[in-house]
Amino acid sequence: MEAKVYNMTAKEVGTVTLNDSVFGAEYNESLIHQVVVAQLANKRQGTKSTLTRAEVRGGGVKPWRQKGTGRARQGSIRAPQWTGGGVVFAPKPRDFSQKINKKAKDEALRSALSAKLADNELVIVDDIKFGGKTKEAVQMLKAFDLSDKRVYIVTDNNDEMVLRATGNIQKLTLASAELINVYDLVASGKCVMTKGAVKKIEEAYAL
């Protein structure tokens, strides 16, 4: 399988041969969904906590007698219907993390990459080099007609200048080949990947 390679001005400069096991895998929507849900769940802190009526300070005395006042009966001023009272089914700290096997994650990534290629949403460039200016990254996105789209850029190294140039672009996500993940790949409209990143991904995920 071959794909076109472009430079930063969107001009075709050659082709690259892609590994079929990585970029030609069968689409598995249910597995991708499972991995994305787990990834989002693992980001949750799970630190939310409020007090139940048993934990709120005070309210030990019945506010008024049971009968004869004309008001509704009340047993505590810390019941949920009172201001300052406890919370019904109060959220407590918990662990939301989900375990996904490495084989399943790898297969989901191969499936997502293959879907991007099949849908013409994968753009391969020979290299990405910026001088640290945001306008340079904006010019590259304009060249590929990606200015108003969600873009996922995957490079083969952690270039500080590329990070500086792309850091202020709202709909752009930058990652190195080692940190590529299914959620960012699926959430983006287009994926721009360097030839070096393609090689590293194939080395890591080829069957």
Side-chain angles (χ1 to χ4, degrees), residues 3-196:
K4 295 178 180 179
V5 178
Y6 301 88
N7 61 17
M8 289 172 54
T9 59
K11 292 182 179 179
E12 187 178 340
V13 293
T15 59
V16 62
T17 302
L18 301 177
N19 190 307
D20 286 345
S21 66
V22 178
F23 292 95
E26 184 179 349
Y27 183 58
N28 191 335
E29 185 176 2
S30 62
L31 182 59
I32 291 175
H33 177 267
Q34 182 182 356
V35 172
V36 167
V37 169
Q39 188 177 336
L40 292 176
N42 293 341
K43 288 183 177 181
R44 297 183 68 174
Q45 289 183 317
T47 55
K48 185 164 60 174
S49 180
T50 56
L51 302 180
T52 65
R53 63 181 295 172
E55 297 168 325
V56 179
R57 185 178 179 85
V61 178
K62 188 175 176 65
W64 51 76
R65 59 196 175 95
Q66 182 81 346
K67 291 179 178 292
T69 65
R71 291 178 289 185
R73 56 193 174 189
Q74 301 291 333
S76 170
I77 62 170
R78 293 296 178 252
Q81 72 270 22
W82 284 74
T83 300
V87 177
V88 182
F89 305 125
K92 293 296 179 183
R94 55 173 288 197
D95 182 10
F96 288 95
S97 64
Q98 299 180 18
K99 183 179 182 298
I100 296 291
N101 292 332
K102 186 179 184 302
K103 281 187 177 180
K105 285 193 291 187
D106 291 353
E107 183 59 35
L109 183 63
R110 285 191 286 266
S111 180
L113 285 169
S114 301
K116 283 290 180 191
L117 182 64
D119 295 339
N120 294 319
E121 292 182 346
L122 179 64
V123 178
I124 300 176
V125 295
D126 54 355
D127 199 8
I128 295 178
K129 293 290 183 184
F130 296 134
K133 298 293 185 181
T134 301
K135 65 180 181 181
E136 296 173 308
V138 170
Q139 287 172 355
M140 186 189 80
L141 294 177
K142 283 183 178 179
F144 287 101
D145 195 23
L146 300 176
S147 299
D148 58 344
K149 296 180 174 63
R150 294 186 67 88
V151 182
Y152 189 37
I153 294 181
V154 184
T155 61
D156 52 309
N157 54 31
N158 292 309
D159 190 326
E160 179 66 26
M161 291 301 178
V162 176
L163 183 61
R164 286 186 186 182
T166 58
N168 289 330
I169 302 177
Q170 189 174 9
K171 293 185 177 181
L172 187 149
T173 303
L174 176 70
S176 62
E178 293 84 0
L179 299 177
I180 188 173
N181 65 82
V182 177
Y183 171 72
D184 288 331
L185 198 59
V186 171
S188 63
K190 288 274 189 176
C191 178
V192 179
M193 191 177 296
T194 64
K195 280 180 65 177

